[in-house]
Amino acid sequence: QVQLVESGGGLVQPGGSLRLSCAASGNIFSINAMGWYRQAPGKQRELVATITTSGSTNYAGSVKGRFTISRDNAKNTVYLQMNSLKPEDTAVYYCNALLRRRRNEPLYDYWGQGTQVTVSS
């Protein structure tokens, strides 16, 4: 009913940049917030950045100043511009959306399939 599809991952050298995109589609009444999370091998999934429909943002301390989250509400799409990438940024990046499918239904978290980001020489 609701699908989140990420794109833009890949292999990049330290100090390089990547731009991730995530488009939400399907039956969506409203989206309260979208964000990016990541999970490295052997580690728990962690928050990277979130953005509300109104534009309020929140970043993990490890990425603040290097990553920028943005969104296009009309397209139900969120972006993550990643600059000055470090090897420790290597992870599978997952898109998240907190949304209502129908009016008066509760909020629910939806997740994308993930896209691999590898930072290595």
Side-chain angles (χ1 to χ4, degrees):
Q1 193 171 21
V2 176
Q3 184 173 227
L4 275 59
V5 179
E6 303 103 328
S7 63
L11 175 65
V12 65
Q13 295 183 4
S17 298
L18 284 174
R19 185 173 185 257
L20 305 183
S21 300
C22 172
S25 61
N27 188 26
I28 300 171
F29 177 75
S30 63
I31 299 178
N32 282 36
M34 298 185 74
W36 292 94
Y37 295 72
R38 67 186 182 186
Q39 187 167 23
K43 300 184 67 176
Q44 296 183 179
R45 186 174 298 187
E46 65 176 348
L47 182 147
V48 177
T50 60
I51 186 168
T52 67
T53 304
S54 63
S56 297
T57 58
N58 185 46
Y59 295 91
S62 58
V63 307
K64 190 172 296 184
R66 299 188 296 120
F67 292 8
T68 302
I69 190 169
S70 60
R71 81 280 183 270
D72 184 336
N73 291 337
K75 297 181 178 180
N76 290 334
T77 299
V78 65
Y79 307 93
L80 185 67
Q81 179 65 47
M82 304 185 293
N83 298 326
S84 302
L85 283 162
K86 305 175 180 179
E88 49 263 46
D89 294 318
T90 296
V92 177
Y93 283 69
Y94 296 92
C95 178
N96 168 262
L98 181 63
L99 59 83
R100 287 183 172 89
R101 293 180 297 176
R102 301 178 67 88
R103 184 179 179 87
N104 296 324
E105 288 192 356
L107 292 165
Y108 191 82
D109 277 309
Y110 287 85
W111 294 90
Q113 82 288 350
T115 184
Q116 177 70 48
V117 172
T118 302
V119 184
S120 179
S121 298

